[in-house]
Amino acid sequence: MIDVPEPAKPEGVADEVWAQMLAASPVEARRLIRSGDFTAPTSGLCPGYAQANLIVLPREQAYDFLLFAQRNPKPCPLLEVTEVGARQATICATDCDIATDFPRYRIYEHGQLVAEVDNVEDYWRDDLVSFVIGCSFSFESELIEAGIEIRHNTMGCNVPMYLTGVPCTPAGSMSGNMVMSMRPIPYDQVVKAVQISGAIPKVHGAPLHIGDPAAIGVRDLAHPEFGDPVEIREGEVPVFWACGVTPQSIVMNSKPPFAITHAPGCMLITDTKNIDLKE
Amino acid sequence: MIDVPEPAKPEGVADEVWAQMLAASPVEARRLIRSGDFTAPTSGLCPGYAQANLIVLPREQAYDFLLFAQRNPKPCPLLEVTEVGARQATICATDCDIATDFPRYRIYEHGQLVAEVDNVEDYWRDDLVSFVIGCSFSFESELIEAGIEIRHNTMGCNVPMYLTGVPCTPAGSMSGNMVMSMRPIPYDQVVKAVQISGAIPKVHGAPLHIGDPAAIGVRDLAHPEFGDPVEIREGEVPVFWACGVTPQSIVMNSKPPFAITHAPGCMLITDTKNIDLKE
């Protein structure tokens, strides 16, 4: 793992669990999460390893979503697509149960959020396909190494994520607008942030927008649709990256009968190193 | 278009048609090919624009192949996947008929090559999905600009392509070994060739192997499974790139009931500039 300063403890996490998570390898972190002890956002944990978003759909909708991801690689860079019905990931991690190893999940029926739960064992079905999607938390450790502060990390809160006015390229039954995560960056570090993140397209790569939120249809930085607002200081500019919560915007818009996603910010910690995604 | 030396005229092409092809823009080249006047390999034409491979499968097999491409991005970087039944490309080119705009096509039934034809209008069906895959011809113009000779180009023949012993990652019903194209490169230009091609992963990117053909299961450079053999001179090393003919190896191995592909070397010339694939 990369040696970077520890993130602040998220609210509601027990000191002992937090200490274990800070010391954990990716597989140990997944086991702690699997046990139900840790249900908080994962930003800052296991620096150097890729973190991942999730959308699970029935096989009936899987072709449309796979094509959607192919047409929208910025918000939906696929790290792994599982076999139909399989709960185990095998490519981005081993000893990895998709149904238990994310801290929190959301259940959608016909585009409506109907439940938020710590595991989805009771919701699992034989016809489900899991799409594991790269997360921008992955490159945060490299930004920190380069001397760039990650505000939600130092504040101990979730990253702010906004439902933008930027449409994705539709595919079959799947369409909707893009979600973007935002990090305030000092003007003199913006180019560095672009170059460092741009080197890893599999975890969203370079930002999609720098500056005026209105240009991408974001009206109020203080009220993100997902996650928490963060402070933007004098001399900082809001920088927006494509976000793997985009599938949740697509589910809300396209209304498939059933979908499981991770809860925004509560990611899978994979065994895949960022450096192995740079090829 | 990039200003690079003209390739040698392929055998059997009329002087007048060749002159027209050398002067053509991508859309003009597609129209000439559509008219049936040009049925030869396309290497060296429309320098600076991406060229593309093709595999067309029934919707029944499309999910498996789309997943195969996701798992094997080196041989199968997707530039576009068409809507079911649509003959028109809309993303990588406009005014582009998939069924006529490749110089030559191959028809496969249950993994057997049953016909090679100049267009596939008579074979088209309402349930077909076209996968348009980046081709390494695309970066050849940049290699030439950098002073690297492309041997099959100066010889006026097709690039040599080898069925290797390197297995692809299977997906559903799709499995088989990778096909790689080979270009002899002088030792002192190998690093430059890696860096230039590596900048464009959407047209296969960096080579997969440099040197001893036996290491990738290629026994006889003089007898490529596809295309023509080329001369390898003193001080040159064979450099192998993942090839978009790989789907034909997959079709021969996996035996889907029906498939259409391009004939190796006879590519679609797209409207997409190489530089726009570097993002």
Side-chain angles (χ1 to χ4, degrees), chain B residues 158-181:
Chain B
N158 202 348
V159 67
M161 294 162 271
Y162 301 89
L163 180 56
T164 70
V166 178
C168 295
T169 305
S173 59
M174 300 288 162
S175 64
N177 284 0
M178 206 182 299
V179 175
M180 298 191 202
S181 64

Side-chain angles (χ1 to χ4, degrees), chain B residues 126-170:
Chain B
D126 285 347
D127 67 338
L128 297 180
V129 177
S130 298
F131 298 86
V132 180
I133 294 170
C135 168
S136 57
F137 286 176
S138 313
F139 59 63
E140 289 179 346
S141 56
E142 307 208 17
L143 296 179
I144 294 168
E145 255 201 318
I148 299 172
E149 182 197 340
I150 301 298
R151 184 66 34 78
H152 59 270
N153 226 307
T154 49
M155 287 177 67
C157 67
N158 202 348
V159 67
M161 294 162 271
Y162 301 89
L163 180 56
T164 70
V166 178
C168 295
T169 305

Side-chain angles (χ1 to χ4, degrees), chain A residues 59 62-63 66-67 70-71 78-84 91 129 131 172 202, chain B residues 59 62-63 66-67 70-71 78-84 91 129 131 172 202:
Chain A
R59 174 64 180 85
Y63 179 77
L66 187 53
L67 186 56
Q70 191 274 321
R71 291 183 181 167
L78 294 171
L79 297 182
E80 176 165 357
V81 181
T82 61
E83 301 301 325
V84 180
I91 297 173
V129 177
F131 299 86
K202 276 296 201 180
Chain B
R59 173 66 181 84
Y63 179 77
L66 187 53
L67 186 56
Q70 191 275 321
R71 290 182 181 168
L78 293 171
L79 298 181
E80 176 165 355
V81 181
T82 60
E83 302 300 324
V84 180
I91 296 173
V129 177
F131 298 86
K202 277 296 202 179

Side-chain angles (χ1 to χ4, degrees), chain A residues 48-50 138-139 141-142 200 203 272-278:
Chain A
Y49 288 89
S138 315
F139 59 64
S141 57
E142 307 208 17
I200 327 182
V203 292
T272 304
K273 289 184 172 171
N274 290 337
I275 202 163
D276 291 326
L277 295 175
K278 287 186 180 176

Side-chain angles (χ1 to χ4, degrees), chain B residues 43-208:
Chain B
S43 174
L45 296 171
C46 297
Y49 287 89
Q51 298 200 18
N53 302 272
L54 179 68
I55 175 162
V56 182
L57 287 164
R59 173 66 181 84
E60 185 77 18
Q61 281 78 42
Y63 179 77
D64 282 358
F65 188 80
L66 187 53
L67 186 56
F68 179 86
Q70 191 275 321
R71 290 182 181 168
N72 297 277
K74 286 291 280 185
C76 299
L78 293 171
L79 298 181
E80 176 165 355
V81 181
T82 60
E83 302 300 324
V84 180
R87 269 173 54 173
Q88 301 298 318
T90 58
I91 296 173
C92 68
T94 53
D95 187 358
C96 176
D97 185 342
I98 299 281
T100 59
D101 291 2
F102 290 73
R104 291 187 73 74
Y105 299 83
R106 289 184 168 180
I107 311 294
Y108 288 89
E109 289 176 5
H110 302 285
Q112 296 290 319
L113 176 62
V114 295
E116 187 164 313
V117 291
D118 295 352
N119 74 70
V120 291
E121 293 187 284
D122 292 345
Y123 291 91
W124 206 260
R125 307 178 350 186
D126 285 347
D127 67 338
L128 297 180
V129 177
S130 298
F131 298 86
V132 180
I133 294 170
C135 168
S136 57
F137 286 176
S138 313
F139 59 63
E140 289 179 346
S141 56
E142 307 208 17
L143 296 179
I144 294 168
E145 255 201 318
I148 299 172
E149 182 197 340
I150 301 298
R151 184 66 34 78
H152 59 270
N153 226 307
T154 49
M155 287 177 67
C157 67
N158 202 348
V159 67
M161 294 162 271
Y162 301 89
L163 180 56
T164 70
V166 178
C168 295
T169 305
S173 59
M174 300 288 162
S175 64
N177 284 0
M178 206 182 299
V179 175
M180 298 191 202
S181 64
M182 190 281 286
R183 291 159 187 81
I185 308 280
Y187 278 100
D188 64 358
Q189 294 185 313
V190 167
V191 170
K192 193 156 64 171
V194 170
Q195 291 184 309
I196 291 171
S197 59
I200 327 183
K202 277 296 202 179
V203 292
H204 302 299
L208 284 181

Side-chain angles (χ1 to χ4, degrees), chain A residues 46-159:
Chain A
C46 296
Y49 288 89
Q51 297 200 18
N53 303 271
L54 179 68
I55 176 162
V56 182
L57 288 164
R59 174 64 180 85
E60 184 77 18
Q61 280 79 43
Y63 179 77
D64 282 359
F65 189 80
L66 187 53
L67 186 56
F68 180 87
Q70 191 274 321
R71 291 183 181 167
N72 297 278
K74 285 292 279 185
C76 299
L78 294 171
L79 297 182
E80 176 165 357
V81 181
T82 61
E83 301 301 325
V84 180
R87 269 172 54 171
Q88 302 298 319
T90 58
I91 297 173
C92 67
T94 52
D95 187 358
C96 176
D97 184 342
I98 299 280
T100 59
D101 291 3
F102 290 73
R104 291 187 72 74
Y105 299 82
R106 289 184 166 180
I107 312 294
Y108 288 89
E109 289 176 5
H110 302 285
Q112 296 290 317
L113 176 62
V114 296
E116 187 164 312
V117 292
D118 295 352
N119 74 69
V120 291
E121 293 187 284
D122 292 345
Y123 292 91
W124 206 261
R125 307 179 349 188
D126 285 345
D127 68 337
L128 296 181
V129 177
S130 299
F131 299 86
V132 181
I133 295 170
C135 169
S136 57
F137 286 176
S138 315
F139 59 64
E140 288 179 346
S141 57
E142 307 208 17
L143 296 178
I144 294 167
E145 256 201 318
I148 299 171
E149 182 198 340
I150 301 298
R151 185 65 35 78
H152 60 269
N153 226 307
T154 49
M155 286 177 68
C157 67
N158 202 347
V159 66

Side-chain angles (χ1 to χ4, degrees), chain A residues 224-249:
Chain A
E225 280 75 16
F226 308 93
D228 302 314
V230 295
E231 192 190 345
I232 302 182
R233 296 183 190 148
E234 181 84 25
E236 293 179 343
V237 62
V239 178
F240 295 86
W241 277 268
C243 178
V245 173
T246 299
Q248 302 190 41
S249 150

